[in-house]
Amino acid sequence: MPASTLTKHRATVRSTVVLKAIMAITGLVMIGFLLAHMAGNLWVFAGREEFNDYAHHLRTLGEPMLPHKVLLWALRIGLLLSVVLHVYSAITLWKRAHVASARKGGTRYHTSKGQRGVQRSYASFTMRYGGIVITLFVIYHLLHFTGNQIHPGGASSSPYDRVVNGFEIWWVWLSYVIAMVAIGLHLRHGLWAAAASLGANTSPRRRRQLNTGAITIAVVITVGFLLPPTLILFGGIS
Amino acid sequence: MTGSGDTSKDMDLKLRVWRQRGPKDDGAMVEYDVPAVSPDMSFLEMLDVLNERLTLEDDDPIAFDHDCREGICGACGVVINGIAHGPEVTTTCQLHMRSFTDGDVIDIEPWRSGSFPVVKDLVVDRGSLDRIIQAGGYISAPTGTAPDAHAVPVPKDDADAAFDAATCIGCGACVAACPNGSAMLFTAAKITHLGLLPQGQPERDSRVLDMVGQHDAEGFGGCSQIGECTAVCPKGISLSTISRLNVDLLGALRSTYAK
């Protein structure tokens, strides 16, 4: 193979298409995590003991085949890697898009008309801002539930008490609602875009099906995550 | 056509047009009143009428690209009220003034892209699209007498889909409409057109690598699957061509590095 072709191929490895494929795969990994996380949270409906057992089992996952917390850390590292690659690709593509669309001070066209485009969804407008909101939320969430550094509602002795004490406070509940809506919108466009970027959009009919699927999964994840906090706030669980 | 005496439906319009003397000039929106516009005029005819007046008034006429005025060459194209090619899904030359109403204020701007530098007023340099085609939008075939039409059989569905993709006229509306300034619909149309046909197979891998490499080297953005491109495309190039391009590119990279 001539050297010039090799150079070109090396450039294509870093192309926008490959960055989008990385975003798609890492995004799907994170959606897989969200589905498992959401389903796990529903253990809170089974009661204090069952939920605490579930939380404890996350740490003993894979034992006795693997030492304590090894599988948990493997999953955490895989997730962290996904987050880093997802954010890196997003920032790289964001910078490119800014130059490519010839924006000056945030605006591209001088007209105030047609700002919403022809058919684009609200979710597609807010991907980048939603991403920032979700990143900030994840830090807050880890400090709250995983690390236990911040504990609204007072210190708690078990995961179950931490959940219930936290969500009995309206502003904690509200902060989670905002974050879950942001995640829902991000997934509504992100899931469709990931599927299409990886080649699943094979016809206009398939485009409609993929969009329906993306909306369904986004709604399931958002509602599934909001069920336990909402029931706790309104006194369904204590 | 409206009779020459019938001006009852004529419209008085106000235009706000992007004027820019040259590539280095800052440019600004300039207002013009255009009275008595017939709804039967095309958008470009309406600009012709204004330009005639500007010329008579010793003003500089508004520069805009146009050629066939039949919607098949891809030369014309401006952003009208924020939408590439305006309110109808067609080329600017095929847009009728009946899509507007009396008293409308119409904002007219050039395609905006870092890869489409403004030459003058509404004219942009779309050489970047030509260079993407030059990078791989061709096939190598022996020349000489034309082969029999049925010498290489092509399944009907493939022929139809290849033809749909081949109708891309390279006007650049997809880039102007894309929030990311991506030319992926344009690139994917050519990848789909040639990749579906037997004649396009020998260079299928190198074509997608070279064309995407050139697309990115020109500074175009990435595709976020928002779909504004296909919504304004005068030829209705399907968004699914981009999925096809992505599959071809990832496959080509795999086979390159598997060697």
Side-chain angles (χ1 to χ4, degrees), chain A residues 26-232:
Chain A
T26 53
L28 292 175
V29 167
M30 289 187 272
I31 289 172
F33 163 75
L34 283 180
L35 282 169
H37 185 353
M38 181 209 75
N41 286 0
L42 299 178
W43 278 106
V44 82
F45 292 119
R48 174 178 275 114
E49 203 173 316
E50 285 77 2
F51 186 78
N52 286 339
D53 269 355
Y54 157 73
H56 179 70
H57 277 128
L58 289 178
R59 270 128 192 91
T60 59
L61 210 63
E63 287 181 39
M65 297 277 282
L66 294 165
H68 189 59
K69 284 194 181 177
V70 161
L71 186 57
L72 182 73
W73 273 104
L75 291 172
R76 280 174 175 174
I77 289 166
L79 268 178
L80 189 66
L81 195 66
S82 294
V83 171
V84 168
L85 286 172
H86 199 81
V87 171
Y88 166 78
S89 307
I91 291 171
T92 310
L93 288 160
W94 192 344
K95 277 191 204 153
R96 273 196 77 98
H98 192 81
V99 178
S101 54
R103 263 168 239 278
K104 277 184 186 157
T107 50
R108 184 181 191 185
Y109 293 108
H110 286 257
T111 182
S112 55
K113 300 165 195 164
Q115 300 275 357
R116 298 294 309 265
V118 180
Q119 51 82 56
R120 61 183 301 195
S121 62
Y122 179 74
S124 77
F125 272 100
T126 51
M127 288 304 278
R128 286 154 188 166
Y129 312 104
I132 294 170
V133 171
I134 295 163
T135 310
L136 294 174
F137 164 75
V138 167
I139 295 167
Y140 157 65
H141 180 58
L142 289 177
L143 288 173
H144 183 189
F145 281 115
T146 311
N148 200 16
Q149 281 87 355
I150 48 175
H151 21 64
S156 44
S157 50
S158 78
Y160 182 87
D161 295 306
R162 207 176 303 160
V163 170
V164 173
N165 291 347
F167 287 124
E168 275 173 350
I169 303 163
W170 68 270
W171 60 264
V172 174
W173 172 81
L174 187 65
S175 66
Y176 275 78
V177 171
I178 293 167
M180 287 314 118
V181 170
I183 285 179
L185 286 170
H186 201 77
L187 295 191
R188 183 264 169 270
H189 183 75
L191 190 52
W192 136 255
S197 292
L198 293 175
N201 177 28
T202 49
S203 66
R205 185 158 167 263
R206 182 55 55 84
R207 185 180 170 187
R208 285 193 297 277
Q209 291 167 342
L210 289 171
N211 272 298
T212 309
I215 291 168
T216 309
I217 293 179
V219 168
V220 165
I221 288 181
T222 306
V223 172
F225 271 119
L226 285 178
L227 273 179
T230 306
L231 277 159
I232 290 166

Side-chain angles (χ1 to χ4, degrees), chain B residues 12-30:
Chain B
D12 295 335
L13 301 172
K14 186 182 288 260
L15 304 187
R16 293 175 65 233
V17 186
W18 181 259
R19 300 303 308 263
Q20 183 174 341
R21 275 176 234 270
K24 297 216 156 57
D25 191 51
D26 272 347
M29 299 295 274
V30 178

Side-chain angles (χ1 to χ4, degrees), chain A residues 8-9 12 15-17 20 96 99-100 103 108-111 113 117-120 128 189 192 196-197 199 201, chain B residues 18 105 107 109 112-114 175-176 178-180 209-210 216 219-220 223-228 240 243 246 249:
Chain A
K8 244 182 261 169
H9 290 186
T12 317
S15 68
T16 52
V17 176
K20 278 293 175 190
R96 273 196 77 98
V99 178
R103 263 168 239 278
R108 184 181 191 185
Y109 293 108
H110 286 257
T111 182
K113 300 165 195 164
V118 180
Q119 51 82 56
R120 61 183 301 195
R128 286 154 188 166
H189 183 75
W192 136 255
S197 292
N201 177 28
Chain B
W18 181 259
V105 180
D107 297 336
E109 296 176 72
R112 290 257 180 241
S113 161
V175 179
C178 176
N180 300 312
L209 293 168
D210 293 345
D216 282 19
F220 290 110
C223 171
S224 311
Q225 307 287 351
I226 289 170
E228 287 296 288
S240 59
S243 266
N246 288 7
L249 181 85

